[in-house]
Amino acid sequence: MSAWRLVEDPPPPVGGGASGGERGGEPRRPRPSTRRLLVVAATVLLTLVGAGGLAAARTGSFFAERPEGCAKPDRSMQLYAVELPKDGNQVRLGYGLTPQTASYPGPTIEMTEGECLAITVHNQVPAATLEQLRTDPAHPLGVSLHVHGVKYTQLSDGTVQSGSFVPPGESRTYTWFAQQRNKKTGAPGTAGHWWYHDHVVGGPHGTQGLGAGLFGGLVVRRPGDPKPDRTYTVVFGDRQSINLRRGAAADTCDAQQPQPGPTCLVARKGEKVEFIVVGIGNDMHTFHLHGHAWADNRTGVLPNGEPFADLVPTIDNKPLGPGDSFGVTVTAGDSVGPGHWMLHCHMQFHSDGGMSTMLHVLDENGNMPPGHDHSHAHPAGGTAAGTTTGADTAAGQHQHK
Ligand SMILES: [Cu+2]
């Protein structure tokens, strides 16, 4: 019997009617704490004495709670920021739909254009931990939620400067608007692959929060977009890391019962697998997947019959800078079959340093065919069967160098 069997489908991404998000509930309006009011007051004062202050005061238009077009949130959800077990001596933090399920990357959040989402962040990270990560004793303690791509106002910016962060033990609601394309105004819409992260832990740019694990993927779809069977968020970061892990640690798939998760990329042949690829930190990277290629457009999939389809290049490698994000959708094992397909940064000293993991493609029944129970680095083409060693299989760890 194969050691590889997909026993259970992964939980779907949050949103779009999937479990996890709470529908229909009117979110709690943020109750500003005294501390926050002081920060806001100080910011207003600074704004007023600034060059643009008088204009802002005259219009009185600063600090709107919600973006235009988002009168009332369509959906609300809870997001917990917690401390996770250390990785060596590195502090690890994560976002989770519950405190118990927090991880890095955090849960993938899914929205549809036109939707307005209220996310209440509960900061359960101990103050002592935030103090330890602080690079300046004058910097306030807290976590935040800052998002790329979609619309939000200053109150949902997730920065210290706008007072939109969450002190330890407190909660705050952030409002995101997946603005639609508008041909009249020229608004391009917000459909795409984005990410969210802390912007406060340690310093004014959340560098320590990001480095500790407070980040996750966001996908905004248009009605009618192809829906993938699985979505994985892969975050390429400093020190040759994928989702803050390197080498064998980046692939924790259990050889007996691989459970899809942040560090176990697994799919059945024929499934549409979507990757939200994000760059964090200070390094440039390239995202490369063996045996698979994708259309370099918004969805990664070419719609049938599009006359401009030939204008969209098909690629299997894409550059990624800090803060960048893009989506990739492939059909697992299409034409190439099941196997262990390398996913890695193609900057050679990064991949050599451990920036490499695997997409484990099982057959249609969820089994890894005999001869594929072990995943040494396969040559390009990936059809060579690896040899099985008991030790590697038992450990569920796969060495790729
Ligand atoms: Cu790299």
Side-chain angles (χ1 to χ4, degrees):
M1 193 179 90
S2 169
W4 284 87
R5 174 177 285 277
L6 190 57
V7 294
E8 200 176 284
D9 286 331
V14 179
S19 65
E22 294 172 16
R23 277 201 171 272
E26 172 72 11
R28 224 161 16 127
R29 288 171 71 90
R31 291 170 55 91
S33 67
T34 310
R35 201 179 326 185
R36 209 190 97 213
L37 282 175
L38 285 174
V39 172
V40 170
T43 311
V44 170
L45 190 62
L46 285 172
T47 306
L48 288 174
V49 298
L54 288 176
R58 270 197 297 271
T59 63
S61 62
F62 44 80
F63 297 144
E65 187 175 344
R66 291 168 189 160
E68 262 178 66
C70 171
K72 184 170 178 275
D74 303 292
R75 188 157 59 94
S76 63
M77 57 179 278
Q78 314 297 313
L79 197 63
Y80 296 82
V82 305
E83 181 168 10
L84 295 168
K86 278 196 169 74
D87 177 8
N89 57 5
Q90 303 276 325
V91 170
R92 289 290 178 245
L93 309 176
Y95 295 111
L97 299 177
T98 65
Q100 294 75 29
T101 53
S103 59
Y104 49 95
T108 299
I109 298 176
E110 189 171 333
M111 298 179 73
T112 305
E113 268 191 357
E115 189 180 32
C116 184
L117 175 64
I119 302 177
T120 302
V121 173
H122 307 273
N123 180 5
Q124 297 190 352
V125 180
T129 303
L130 295 172
E131 207 166 342
Q132 191 189 329
L133 292 169
R134 184 158 64 174
T135 51
D136 171 0
H139 187 70
L141 297 179
V143 304
S144 81
L145 184 65
H146 173 78
V147 66
H148 288 230
V150 294
K151 298 285 186 179
Y152 51 83
T153 69
Q154 285 276 293
L155 294 182
S156 291
D157 190 29
T159 55
V160 168
Q161 144 265 329
S162 61
S164 51
F165 64 97
V166 196
E170 297 188 19
S171 303
R172 179 186 182 85
T173 299
Y174 294 84
T175 306
W176 298 352
F177 177 43
Q179 189 192 40
Q180 309 94 315
R181 190 152 131 196
N182 186 327
K183 286 176 186 166
K184 258 188 202 162
T185 65
T190 51
H193 296 80
W194 308 105
W195 63 300
Y196 63 86
H197 62 91
D198 168 73
H199 212 299
V200 165
V201 175
H205 298 283
T207 304
Q208 306 297 320
L210 271 164
L214 288 177
F215 51 77
L218 164 70
V219 56
V220 179
R221 302 191 200 283
R222 288 202 183 119
D225 274 357
K227 284 261 184 168
D229 297 297
R230 298 175 191 280
T231 298
Y232 292 109
T233 298
V234 286
V235 178
F236 281 20
D238 290 341
R239 299 190 305 152
Q240 297 90 45
S241 64
I242 297 177
N243 292 338
L244 301 186
R245 287 102 168 168
R246 305 161 57 160
D251 185 355
T252 55
C253 288
D254 184 287
Q256 303 301 322
Q257 298 187 335
Q259 296 300 308
T263 54
C264 179
L265 313 180
V266 54
R268 294 181 192 204
K269 185 173 183 294
E271 286 184 330
K272 299 276 185 229
V273 182
E274 174 183 58
F275 294 97
I276 301 173
V277 186
V278 178
I280 64 171
N282 302 294
D283 290 345
M284 292 296 300
H285 305 286
T286 60
F287 174 88
H288 175 54
L289 176 62
H290 285 208
H292 298 76
W294 59 90
D296 191 20
N297 64 357
R298 183 176 58 79
T299 62
V301 176
L302 284 178
N304 285 332
E306 280 289 351
F308 53 81
D310 276 351
L311 299 177
V312 178
T314 300
I315 61 171
D316 76 349
N317 193 70
K318 186 161 176 163
L320 178 73
D324 281 347
S325 58
F326 56 80
V328 162
T329 303
V330 298
T331 305
D334 179 35
S335 152
V336 297
H340 308 280
W341 297 98
M342 290 184 81
L343 184 163
H344 64 93
C345 177
H346 221 305
M347 290 182 75
Q348 295 302 134
F349 78 102
H350 283 184
S351 39
D352 288 348
M355 204 162 183
S356 181
T357 186
M358 291 279 175
L359 171 65
H360 301 281
V361 179
L362 312 177
D363 68 17
E364 289 88 341
N365 300 317
N367 298 310
M368 184 62 74
H372 289 76
D373 280 1
H374 179 63
S375 61
H376 277 301
H378 292 176
T383 49
T387 53
T388 300
T389 66
D392 273 346
T393 303
Q397 299 286 337
H398 304 272
Q399 207 65 41
H400 7 90
K401 289 179 177 150

